[in-house]
Amino acid sequence: SSGINAEWPLRPGLRDHTGILPKQRRLVEVCEMISTAFFLHDNIVGLNKVKTDERHNIQKGNKLSLLFGDYFLATACSQLATMENPNVVNSVSRAIAHNVEGRFWLETINTASPPTLDELSYYCSLRHGALLSSCCYSAALLSGLDSDTASSLRMFGDFVGQAIHLKSEIFATETSNIGPESLSSYPYIAAARYLHQQGKDDLLDNAAGLNEERVKKIINLGYGLDFTAEQCELYCNKALQSLKQLNSSDELTQNLAKVVMDIKSAKPIYTA
């Protein structure tokens, strides 16, 4: 990949046939490597969740996931430095830190005393919106756009990142793709919060264990999917609102608006 090739030339004034600058292409590759690194780290399997005779293979797979994730992250940071733009380096570095902060917070959620939806939205922004937000903002800086436009694109990336995540959680719940991570999902937390407010804490008692059937029951009783769909719609509308700073007749603006409309109308591509 050219993102790993440090000899790939960076000529700031030269655009390819798509109008993309070499440094912008490098930026996207860096952000993709960071995203892949987090994906690999997120999919490390806890040994307490597997049978004893399978632990050796799982442990080996975990080590490989960790090593590859570390490699991608280190390579991304190395390539980021070659861009020689302090504002871009600072923005992407903060996105990495925010992603980690959001991930650790979501891991510590106590479902018996659910966080507020504002708290959940804030940390979901750190976890799922920060990297795309930084990528949009940094790409604008590299294009020489003014700070107001760059800030609008930063907000656009944040809202789109969260909308995509919420849409994927809706699909996972609707298609019965529910696992342990569902306890920190927006549909489950929103439902748990609603039931807690209604004084139905007995439904949230974890003593009996939260299997897939119980998780789905809590989400259904607490209107988890409805809350999540409303929040996803809100993020999509905010993303469109953030584009009003840009020229509405510009092709880029129209393409970005189309991305949001595609998220709104997206349907699951498989069924359980």
Side-chain angles (χ1 to χ4, degrees), residues 8 27 52 70 129 184 216 224 256:
W8 192 56
L27 171 68
T52 304
D70 287 349
S184 60
K216 291 197 73 172
L256 292 177

Side-chain angles (χ1 to χ4, degrees), residues 53-239:
D53 57 343
E54 297 175 347
R55 288 185 180 179
H56 176 72
N57 290 334
I58 295 297
Q59 192 170 31
K60 186 181 296 184
N62 282 347
K63 288 180 179 179
L64 289 173
S65 290
L66 187 61
L67 285 172
F68 279 121
D70 287 349
Y71 171 75
F72 278 122
L73 194 55
T75 303
C77 291
S78 175
Q79 294 303 303
L80 183 62
T82 66
M83 301 182 71
E84 300 178 347
N85 188 313
N87 290 328
V88 171
V89 172
N90 182 50
S91 177
V92 177
S93 299
R94 282 191 288 108
I96 294 174
H98 288 164
N99 196 301
V100 173
E101 180 185 352
R103 194 258 171 98
F104 275 99
W105 183 85
L106 291 170
E107 290 283 339
T108 61
I109 287 177
N110 178 9
T111 54
S113 181
T116 66
L117 294 187
D118 285 342
E119 288 177 322
L120 183 60
S121 294
Y122 171 70
Y123 284 100
C124 280
S125 172
L126 297 183
R127 181 76 179 90
H128 303 288
L131 187 57
L132 185 55
S133 172
S134 172
C135 186
C136 291
Y137 175 74
S138 299
L141 292 181
L142 293 174
S143 287
L145 296 176
D146 62 85
S147 59
D148 288 341
T149 301
S151 296
S152 294
L153 288 171
R154 184 205 293 274
M155 290 190 295
F156 174 83
D158 183 26
F159 294 137
V160 167
Q162 292 186 76
I164 291 173
H165 173 68
L166 292 184
K167 202 73 170 185
S168 68
E169 289 194 331
I170 291 172
F171 291 168
T173 304
E174 290 179 339
T175 55
S176 299
N177 186 19
I178 293 178
E181 67 281 356
S182 299
L183 300 185
S184 60
S185 70
Y186 199 98
Y188 181 83
I189 295 299
R193 185 71 191 170
Y194 173 79
L195 293 174
H196 178 69
Q197 291 173 336
Q198 298 296 313
K200 299 180 180 179
D201 293 322
D202 55 308
L203 294 172
L204 306 175
D205 184 9
N206 294 352
L210 283 172
N211 54 29
E212 179 179 325
E213 184 178 347
R214 282 199 65 204
V215 169
K216 291 197 73 172
K217 180 180 179 181
I218 288 172
I219 290 175
N220 289 333
L221 290 175
Y223 306 103
L225 285 178
D226 292 336
F227 285 123
T228 307
E230 288 177 7
Q231 191 68 18
C232 182
E233 181 78 11
L234 177 63
Y235 286 145
C236 286
N237 290 337
K238 285 186 174 182

